[in-house]
Amino acid sequence: MTEKAAARIAELSEQLHHHIYQYHVLNAPLITDAEYDALLRELQTLEARYPQFALADSPSQRVGSDLAVGFDKVRHPAPILSLANAFDEADLRSWEERNRRLLPAGASLGYVLQPKLDGLAIVLTYEDGVLTRAATRGNGEIGDDVTANVKTIPTVPLRIPVAADAAPAPSRLVARGEILFHKDSFAQLNREQQAQGLPAYINARNTASGSLKQKDSRETAKRQLSAYIYAVVASAGLELESEKQTLLLLRRLGFNVVSDASYCASLDEVIAQLPAWEARRDALPYEIDGLVLKVDDLAQARALGVVGKDPRGAIAYKFAAEEATTKLLGLTIGVGRSGKLTPTAQLEPVFIGGVTVSNASLHNYDQVAALDIRLGDRVVIKRSGDVIPYVIGPVSAARDGSETPILPPAHCPFCNTALIQPAGAVDVFCPNPRCSERVLRTLEFFVSRGAMDIEGMGPQTASALIAAGLIKDEADIFSLSAEPLLELEGFAEKKVQNLLASIAAAKARSFPQVLTSLGIDGIGATVAGLLAGAFASMQDLQATAAAIRQAEAHFADIVTPLLADAAADDPAAATLIARLQQPTAALAPRYLEAADLPARLQRLLRPLQLSAEAITALAAGLKPLIEASRPLHNIDGLGPVLVANIVAWFSDAHHKQVLAKLKAAGVTMRAEEKKQAGSVLQGATFVLTGSMSAPRAEVKALVEAHGGKVTSSVSKRTSYVVAGASPGSKAERATKLGIAIISEEQLRALITGD
Ligand SMILES: [Zn+2]
């Protein structure tokens, strides 16, 4: 056992030395910080048990250093300490327990809790209120002088106090803080990198560190770095009593202080807050890797002292690691219902946040190319919350030259059809609707619960039927017969009977369920219900989609020649051109109630400098499209993109065939007759707004059951606007148009005739 420990200690020491060199000297880490911490922790544990095997140059003796060549060295006025780590509640409790033993019995311990910013430590010196020096943490004793670079960071005050009327700053103040990228600034930086064809940065902290170590401060200035200040290292003439007071002072002097620090009167209070913090993590503007807990009373903190390089009065509570590195072994390619190809990374299994991960999403091939991910690369994997683990990017420094580029295939791996990438799309598609994989995925969805809900049609059965050539699309399941099924392996008499019975039963599924099962992009059960409420039959929907397609084609005939010499390099013009090319989603819904369409178009399209005749022609072409699409646009809860998806789905030749087959098979193709309770509201059109005593859909059903119509937007055709609590702009519009506004009670009175 002890022999093993000695060998492991030697092995860990060697690994850590290598990683320290990679990280601090080459600035090219091979593993994540969490992985580094885990190695170091294992070493520290072993060394504590077997101190006789600890090496003289053990990396555990070493303080992290970010010193780089080419910078003047600065000695800090007091050691810039690091923090011991806690990984769970038990660690925190034993930390407090140890502290209590060093303090007078019965001492009450309050804490300041703040996010642990994942940035780069910085030490700022102000003399008579003027920033005279900024240094990195370095090895804790000596840091690099990066004053010129830090001065370019807008959140670092060059003079304190920032506010002219604030109390003056102490004659000398050395403050400690953190330099980092806000998440959005880092994303912006990477967009700029990509625009220039440069590889994306992977790790925000390393990038912040690199930005601060630029030889030319103009380069630092280009990066949008932020600074947060949280501690006083040394001062002249300041008598601070608590952490709380320190943060207040720093804020008063004009430093950027995290707004999320809180005071907790006990450790229990701190522990109660941990889950909420972990849940908030992703929503914060900056990356954090845990929380910092400090004993609030500075006299107590001083009494506790320092062990090694860690003050006893503070501790870092680390969240479960979300990132880890591992090897990219291979790729599997999936093809979805829509034909979209999704590359998935096959990984050497790696433990992240309590789970072993061996597959991760690579998003799409554009992303793979942008990040320059290669087969055989070491890659950083992120697993955060409920999101599917994904590959953040390659560890370029770990390459040995054996890695091979990943290129999208030219042909579908399932049906060998040439793949397409539509203009402007990041995804690659198999365009073949009869592709075996697409049919399988479509069928899986078609028979699933909530859709046609066909029992006994699991993925294995579906694959077997497709492989045997019995099914070429989802509608084919309704023409299955017993004989060929019985010939398949594993299909016994009883199984076949049950399957055919559940298929037969599915023909009677409700109209909304049938609509859901079509798998139109974005149309789930809720939207299918809305559609079934507005369209009595599949035929009505098909007719509406066809009319819209026809009007779109007519409009395109008008638009195309007008745009032939439009200046598409002007961004405003390009946006308008894109709109004109998607009139159903981007134009029609805006002008449903437009009284003077040519004038409205004239205003919208001004940047395109079209002639008056052109505007008149466009308006004349748009009018029929508006009318054709009105039944869809008028459905409350159906956005313009969904409308476009519906039109695209019903216009597709393959889908038309499938629908015809479903209809021929006797599948439900129309909504149930609505039971008419009365007709007192016959001929009246209502718009509902504000919150009512019952769900909106229920009130709508009530109106319709009595012969009334409900639409989503207020127009001259509206008879009444029914306003519930806190009605919105619809009520305003009604007032403007002089349309009667009634309450929900008045509506019910209309129905009952009271
Ligand atoms: Zn295919």
Side-chain angles (χ1 to χ4, degrees), residues 23-51:
Y23 186 104
H24 293 294
V25 180
L26 302 184
N27 218 343
L30 299 174
I31 55 175
T32 65
D33 295 331
E35 287 168 322
Y36 178 88
D37 286 347
L39 291 176
L40 185 63
R41 221 159 114 82
E42 188 187 347
L43 178 65
Q44 285 169 330
T45 312
L46 282 173
E47 284 180 346
R49 268 184 76 184
Y50 306 101

Side-chain angles (χ1 to χ4, degrees), residues 40 56 66 111 131 427 441 449 454 527 627 724:
L40 185 63
D66 60 21
Y111 299 98
L131 175 67
D427 289 301
R441 299 291 162 217
R449 200 159 300 183
I454 298 177
V527 179
E627 289 315 319

Side-chain angles (χ1 to χ4, degrees), residues 412 414-415 417 430 432 435:
C412 174
F414 297 96
C415 70
T417 304
C430 167
N432 172 17
C435 170

Side-chain angles (χ1 to χ4, degrees), residues 600-637:
R600 297 280 302 273
L601 283 179
Q602 170 65 47
R603 238 176 304 161
L604 176 78
L605 302 175
R606 193 165 293 144
L608 293 178
Q609 300 175 356
L610 298 172
S611 67
E613 294 81 55
I615 295 290
T616 311
L618 283 174
L622 190 56
K623 198 81 193 156
L625 178 59
I626 293 172
E627 289 315 319
S629 60
R630 187 184 299 279
L632 282 170
H633 285 308
N634 263 351
I635 299 174
D636 227 343

Side-chain angles (χ1 to χ4, degrees), residues 353-365:
V355 174
T356 300
V357 173
S358 49
N359 305 307
S361 168
L362 280 164
H363 300 295
N364 56 61
Y365 283 99

Side-chain angles (χ1 to χ4, degrees), residues 335 339 341 411-417 419 430-432 434-438:
V335 173
L341 256 69
H411 296 93
C412 174
F414 297 96
C415 70
N416 211 30
T417 304
L419 298 174
C430 167
N432 172 17
R434 307 248 173 226
C435 170
S436 62
E437 188 68 6
R438 284 186 63 178

